Amino acid sequence: MLNEMTSKVIRNSYYGSKRMIDIIVSLIAIVILSPIFLIVAIAIKLEDGGSIIFKQERSGENDVPFMIYKFRSMRETEKSSSTPYYVWDNGVPDTFVFKNTGKQDVRVTKVGSFIRKFSIDELPQFVNVLLGSMSLIGPRPEIVAITSCYSDKQKQRLMVKPGITGWAQVNGRSDINNGEKIRLDLEYIEKQTAILDSVIFFKTVWLVLAGKGSV
């Protein structure tokens, strides 16, 4: 009983400090990166005159949907068709990979291709973190069309707040299949600590600077 209470106190302390770090870091990031936000916004607007921010419904903590923010990387005419529809009766197949393969996707703009390579399109998600719908570290928020097909085991990855980056992202990012992603996300949920979050953060910085594994 004592060990259980101690574990609960430690876990609550972890989540409390994690939220505090989320708020502080996201505020600092938004201020420091504001010149980049402005440059990207101008570049997107100059290329095709369309909207700057792309919004899409994702599954959040406990499968509660929220709107995720990204810099728009696809042509304006492609936004309405960018959310696919899936039907799987026994969960999302382990072999499934949500990634365009083969030649360069013609729907992506020139600016979009660059900001995707270095994950700059994800920067507006610091606003999601500040608002509390996301965390800096956690399983990446999946689109509702996919999570609606999750098996009971796969739904366990929705037990925590989704993150800008996570354990699966630093172990393959968009190159791993759904089965491996679920395994890594569940491993993170089971083992999550401040130390593991720090490891994920610094690995993410390295991967982003190297432009590896981006969509």
Side-chain angles (χ1 to χ4, degrees):
M1 183 67 177
L2 182 60
N3 289 337
E4 184 178 337
M5 289 179 62
T6 302
S7 178
K8 187 175 181 179
V9 169
I10 293 174
R11 183 52 58 93
N12 288 339
S13 176
Y14 163 72
Y15 282 125
S17 60
K18 183 172 184 175
R19 178 56 187 154
M20 186 179 299
I21 292 172
D22 281 347
I23 293 173
I24 294 172
V25 173
S26 58
L27 275 172
I28 293 174
I30 290 171
V31 172
I32 292 178
L33 297 173
S34 56
I36 295 178
F37 280 43
L38 180 59
I39 292 171
V40 173
I42 293 173
I44 292 173
K45 204 69 178 178
L46 287 176
E47 182 163 10
D48 64 6
S51 59
I52 295 168
I53 298 296
F54 169 73
K55 295 184 291 185
Q56 185 181 56
E57 190 174 59
R58 299 288 180 99
S59 293
E61 185 177 12
N62 297 320
D63 204 16
V64 177
F66 72 99
M67 297 302 294
I68 194 172
Y69 304 123
K70 304 176 72 173
F71 281 123
R72 181 174 60 85
S73 59
M74 284 189 173
R75 302 184 189 284
E76 188 77 16
T77 55
E78 300 292 343
K79 289 196 302 177
S80 60
S81 61
S82 60
T83 302
Y85 177 75
Y86 302 99
V87 178
W88 290 302
D89 296 327
N90 301 305
V92 181
D94 285 347
T95 55
F96 174 73
V97 179
F98 186 69
K99 180 179 180 180
N100 295 310
T101 57
K103 63 182 181 179
Q104 175 68 38
D105 191 339
V106 295
R107 298 174 301 171
V108 179
T109 64
K110 292 180 181 179
V111 173
S113 180
F114 178 81
I115 62 177
R116 280 189 176 195
K117 179 176 176 60
F118 294 100
S119 298
I120 296 172
D121 61 321
E122 310 285 356
L123 294 182
Q125 286 161 44
F126 281 115
V127 175
N128 285 117
V129 174
L130 187 61
L131 294 175
S133 54
M134 290 179 63
S135 179
L136 294 172
I137 310 295
R140 282 294 295 164
E142 192 65 90
I143 61 174
V144 177
I146 291 179
T147 59
S148 64
C149 299
Y150 271 1
S151 65
D152 289 341
K153 181 180 179 180
Q154 291 170 341
K155 287 179 181 178
Q156 293 178 27
R157 77 182 293 270
L158 304 176
M159 292 170 58
V160 299
K161 193 173 293 186
I164 292 180
T165 184
W167 189 229
Q169 280 59 53
V170 298
N171 284 282
R173 299 188 76 184
S174 58
D175 298 318
I176 59 176
N177 62 31
N178 180 70
E180 183 67 3
K181 179 174 67 175
I182 295 292
R183 184 189 70 79
L184 289 166
D185 284 339
L186 295 184
E187 182 180 292
Y188 169 77
I189 292 173
E190 180 183 354
K191 300 179 178 179
Q192 57 183 322
T193 62
I195 293 176
L196 181 56
D197 286 346
S198 297
V199 170
I200 293 171
F201 175 80
F202 287 111
K203 280 191 173 183
T204 298
V205 172
W206 162 248
L207 288 170
V208 169
L209 291 177
K212 294 183 178 180
S214 55
V215 175

